[in-house]
Amino acid sequence: MAEFWEESFVEKQTMWGFEPSRSAVLTKDFFVQKSVKNMLIPGIGYGRNAQIFTDNGIAVTGIEISKTAIELARKLYGSGMTIHHGSVVDMPFDDHQYDGIFCYALIHLLDADEREKLIRDCYNQLSKGGHMVFTAISKEAHTYGKGQLVSKDRYEIFEGVKMYFYDRESIHAAFDKAGLFEITEVNESFPFFLIKCRKGEQAG
């Protein structure tokens, strides 16, 4: 996976352009409303979804597997953001508690154990009353059922990329224990679910 993303960023550089995703805009509005002061973005890429948060006074820390993407982020957006180099499966990279976590179009690229660990690790790094927002690809996507079946609802779309497709049932199964309180649908390049969770005051 690391090699795949490194090669992608070396070859395609700013492959998603510079505009923040629709999900990032919606999450920014939500985080501003909730007075989020600091946040973590696992899988920050070259930072296109981070800038909208920093522009609104939120301190951003990122995690990114590709060194090239980190270099791009520094070149494009300066060195004000802390970006840990490594895979999200190796979280945590620091012992901070964050008011907000935004994880965009990443969780569906992991296997079942990694997905479960990512949710748990993110939840553990939330401060009490903090919020985390995930976007995950939906079974409504035209790629669902294409490619080689790896396991239930997970397909190898092309070499190096295996994708798990969510429906509301699988979201509840995965996120209910992590303070899930809202699921909405967002159409971008793919149909996504926007999954919102809150860390309760009593939660450990």
Side-chain angles (χ1 to χ4, degrees):
M1 194 57 123
E3 275 175 34
F4 172 83
W5 286 112
E6 183 58 23
E7 285 170 15
S8 296
F9 282 114
V10 167
E11 184 188 335
K12 298 172 188 153
Q13 298 280 301
T14 52
M15 56 187 135
W16 296 296
F18 299 103
E19 287 297 308
S21 65
R22 172 110 180 95
S23 299
V25 174
L26 292 169
T27 303
K28 179 269 296 179
D29 291 344
F30 176 64
F31 280 3
V32 167
Q33 179 201 341
K34 295 294 179 187
S35 303
V36 168
K37 296 285 180 272
N38 60 74
M39 65 180 288
L40 179 67
I41 302 182
I44 198 169
Y46 54 82
R48 73 163 179 135
N49 280 330
Q51 188 64 21
I52 194 172
F53 295 101
T54 59
D55 286 349
N56 282 272
I58 301 172
V60 173
T61 298
I63 299 168
E64 177 51 49
I65 202 168
S66 163
K67 270 189 176 162
T68 300
I70 294 173
E71 284 160 17
L72 276 171
R74 299 233 160 94
K75 193 165 74 178
L76 293 166
Y77 304 112
S79 56
M81 273 185 279
T82 299
I83 304 177
H84 301 291
H85 177 235
S87 170
V88 297
V89 302
D90 297 322
M91 283 176 70
F93 287 88
D94 59 44
D95 57 4
H96 293 313
Q97 297 271 291
Y98 294 93
D99 301 334
I101 295 176
F102 177 52
C103 189
Y104 178 76
L106 168 68
I107 193 165
H108 49 249
L109 299 171
L110 305 176
D111 68 27
D113 289 343
E114 292 167 344
R115 293 194 302 273
E116 190 176 328
K117 182 179 185 295
L118 177 63
I119 295 167
R120 189 170 63 245
D121 288 342
C122 286
Y123 190 82
N124 286 342
Q125 285 206 261
L126 270 188
S127 54
K128 297 270 169 61
H131 294 84
M132 59 183 190
V133 178
F134 286 75
T135 63
I137 198 163
S138 158
K139 285 184 181 179
E140 299 300 312
H142 68 274
T143 42
Y144 177 60
K146 304 278 169 62
Q148 187 181 345
L149 180 67
V150 180
S151 54
K152 185 178 186 298
D153 295 330
R154 191 167 185 243
Y155 295 85
E156 184 159 3
I157 309 297
F158 47 88
E159 196 178 340
V161 176
K162 300 183 180 81
M163 239 181 234
Y164 178 78
F165 294 83
Y166 282 86
D167 55 22
R168 285 175 182 268
E169 188 183 343
S170 54
I171 290 171
H172 278 291
F175 288 91
D176 274 355
K177 59 186 175 293
L180 175 70
F181 70 91
E182 185 181 280
I183 304 167
T184 50
E185 290 167 34
V186 182
N187 261 306
E188 298 188 16
S189 49
F190 288 97
F192 285 130
F193 286 110
L194 198 65
I195 302 160
K196 289 182 184 172
C197 302
R198 179 175 181 276
K199 188 164 186 172
E201 301 302 325
Q202 274 71 49

